[in-house]
Amino acid sequence: MFQLFTGRGAPSAETAWPLAKVVSALESQFGALETLGEEGALKVFGIEDNGVNFVVALMQTAPQSGSVAELGFLARFVGFPVDVQLIEALNRNLHISMVSLEGADLFLMAGLAVTGDFDAGQFKLIMEQWRRDLMITLHGLSGEEASMAAAFPAAKMEAARNFAANVAPAPVDDRPVDILASFLGAGAKKALCDDCGGRGKRGFIARMCGECDGTGFVAKR
């Protein structure tokens, strides 16, 4: 019987990704992989990413089938100070993973069932979700003195910090300004140009419309 990551039951060949494409995508993103071994339908690879080691485990639909039904991720942290409060805080903030304390070691684990046809972009997003969980875990293990902003390269540049600053807008007529509505597009919507009717050109000789610069749209008032 298969011991699956997600507990959804026996894997199906109807929903599976080609093993070769998954491995190729991993190599494209992380470079050389270390094959750690196979056990039945399970094939396990080791990856080193900027000094952090983790495992990607591929559960096939059957031994040697070449079709991946589930993805598993594992990272182990040894020698870090860990308490119950940290475990609870991490599990509240992790996206696709969970942490578990086994003895003195902290295990970060995730398991996902594949869906649809394999897509390299979708797979990269999954890996980015795993890397985000790694980042959150490393930040938690680094202690209270660790600064996420200090570890982010762009945040160290003064010009970048200054440009990225968003100052809270002052109230207008004693009412708070809805900066979220502005960000979501309320202030950037476009309307058809009245002068050219959205054509971008005017007249019989089709001169470019000066009002909309030929785009056919103007900023909505």
Side-chain angles (χ1 to χ4, degrees):
M1 178 178 292
F2 291 101
Q3 188 173 357
L4 302 179
F5 307 122
T6 63
R8 66 170 187 170
S12 169
E14 296 178 359
T15 304
W17 289 349
L19 175 65
K21 289 187 177 182
V22 176
V23 172
S24 178
L26 288 171
E27 291 174 337
S28 176
Q29 186 167 356
F30 298 104
L33 309 178
E34 182 175 348
T35 302
L36 301 180
E38 295 186 45
E39 185 175 315
L42 185 65
K43 193 174 183 70
V44 182
F45 296 94
I47 295 175
E48 187 275 333
D49 185 19
N50 291 333
V52 176
N53 296 328
F54 63 89
V55 160
V56 175
L58 307 178
M59 182 67 76
Q60 302 173 84
T61 55
Q64 306 298 323
S65 70
S67 298
V68 177
E70 298 196 3
L71 309 171
F73 303 95
L74 171 67
R76 176 186 173 205
F77 300 93
V78 181
F80 292 88
V82 180
D83 55 27
V84 175
Q85 288 75 21
L86 176 62
I87 298 292
E88 292 177 348
L90 288 175
N91 278 325
R92 283 195 301 268
N93 291 297
L94 294 174
H95 187 44
I96 64 171
S97 314
M98 63 166 290
V99 290
S100 176
L101 190 62
E102 303 292 332
D105 298 346
L106 184 73
F107 285 80
L108 176 68
M109 300 166 286
L112 301 170
V114 307
T115 58
D117 296 330
F118 177 80
D119 178 82
Q122 178 189 1
F123 182 75
K124 189 171 184 178
L125 287 176
I126 292 174
M127 295 307 303
E128 288 304 317
Q129 290 171 338
W130 165 250
R131 292 187 79 252
R132 176 186 178 277
D133 284 355
L134 272 174
M135 179 184 68
I136 291 173
T137 303
L138 291 169
H139 180 255
L141 292 174
S142 296
E144 295 181 357
E145 71 281 358
S147 168
M148 191 79 77
F152 191 66
K156 299 177 183 178
M157 185 185 300
E158 184 177 359
R161 292 171 71 102
N162 291 338
F163 185 86
N166 297 281
V167 180
V172 176
D173 297 331
D174 295 327
R175 297 178 61 184
V177 175
D178 191 347
I179 190 172
L180 175 61
S182 176
F183 175 72
L184 292 178
K189 291 182 179 178
K190 297 290 187 178
L192 286 177
C193 176
D194 290 333
D195 282 26
C196 66
R199 293 177 60 246
K201 298 182 183 298
R202 300 173 61 185
F204 291 108
I205 57 176
R207 292 178 179 174
M208 184 177 72
C209 177
E211 184 69 20
C212 64
D213 294 328
T215 64
F217 295 92
V218 294
K220 190 174 183 179
R221 297 182 178 85

